[in-house]
Amino acid sequence: MATHPREELTFLMVKPDGVRRGLTGEIVRRIEQVGLKIVGLELQRPSRKQVDDHYPKSREWINRLGEKTLNTYEKFGFDAIKELGTKDPAKIGPMVRKWLIDFMTSAPVVIMAVKGVHAVAMIRKLAGPTMPVDAPLGTIRGDFSVDSPAVANREKRSVFNLVHASETEAEAKHEMQHWFGRAVIHDYARTDDEVFK
Ligand code: ADP
C-alpha cells in the first residue's frame, strides 16, 4: 500500500493501436485533466520477451483467456474446431496469448507512471472495461474504439482496446519495475495538490 493515498502509483500503457491512431495526446490529456500526475513517460518498441514477461504465464490465466475465447465462439455460433482446430481452453489460451504478443509488438507503445489519489482505480475507470463494445461512453475505450472478441477472434487477433492499465497496487508495482526498471521517475507537486492542502 502507498504510504499516503496521494502517493499511489500505477502503470498505464498506450497500446500500438492507440499510438498508431494518434491518441496518445488525448489519453495524456484525460489523465491530467482528472487531476492525476504523470511522473514517467516514454515511447518504447517492446521485444517479444518483454511482452511475454508482462502478461501472466500461469495456467489459470491462460485457461481463462482460452475459456473467454471459446465462450465467444459459442455465443456467436462460430465453430472453434473448424477455425482453431480445438475446443480445449488449455490449447486456445496459448493461441490468444500469442495473438496478444503479436499485437503488442506490432508498433511502439507509450508507457506511463501515474501518481495520485486512488491512481490504480482512477486509471481503470478512465480506461473502461476490457471490451470496447462494453465500455461506456466517456471512457477511453468507449469513446475511441469499437472492437469486440466476436470480430477479433474471428480474425485470429487480439482485441484492440487502446490501453493497458494495472488492476491492483501489487500489479502496478510489478509492471512499473518491469517496464521502467531503473529509469528515473520524476515526481513534483501539482499546483492543485497545493490548493487542496
Ligand atoms: P485487461 O487488459 O482489461 O486487464 P485482460 O487481462 O483480461 O484485460 O486481457 C488482456 C488483453 O488481452 C486485453 O486487454 C485484450 O487486448 C486481450 N484479450 C482479452 N480477452 C481476449 C479475447 N477473448 N480475445 C482476444 N483478445 C483478448
Side-chain angles (χ1 to χ4, degrees), residues 69-70 73-74 77-88 92:
T69 305
L70 194 59
Y73 271 71
E74 279 166 5
F78 306 156
D79 186 345
I81 301 262
K82 199 166 129 204
E83 300 204 19
L84 301 176
T86 177
K87 269 189 114 170
D88 180 357
I92 298 174

Side-chain angles (χ1 to χ4, degrees), residues 15 17 54-56 61 64-73 96-97 99-100 103-104 124 127-132 141 147-150 152-153 156-167 171 175:
K15 293 182 175 182
D17 54 334
H54 165 79
Y55 285 111
W61 193 85
R64 186 176 62 93
L65 212 52
E67 261 155 35
K68 280 199 293 188
T69 305
L70 194 59
N71 290 341
T72 308
Y73 271 71
V96 182
R97 202 173 181 283
W99 298 343
L100 193 52
F103 165 51
M104 297 288 279
R124 293 284 294 186
T130 305
M131 298 306 166
R141 287 164 168 168
D147 208 11
S148 92
N153 295 352
K156 298 196 175 55
R157 62 168 173 80
S158 162
V159 167
F160 296 165
N161 55 5
L162 303 172
V163 287
H164 163 80
S166 307
E167 227 176 314
E171 196 176 289
E175 292 177 350

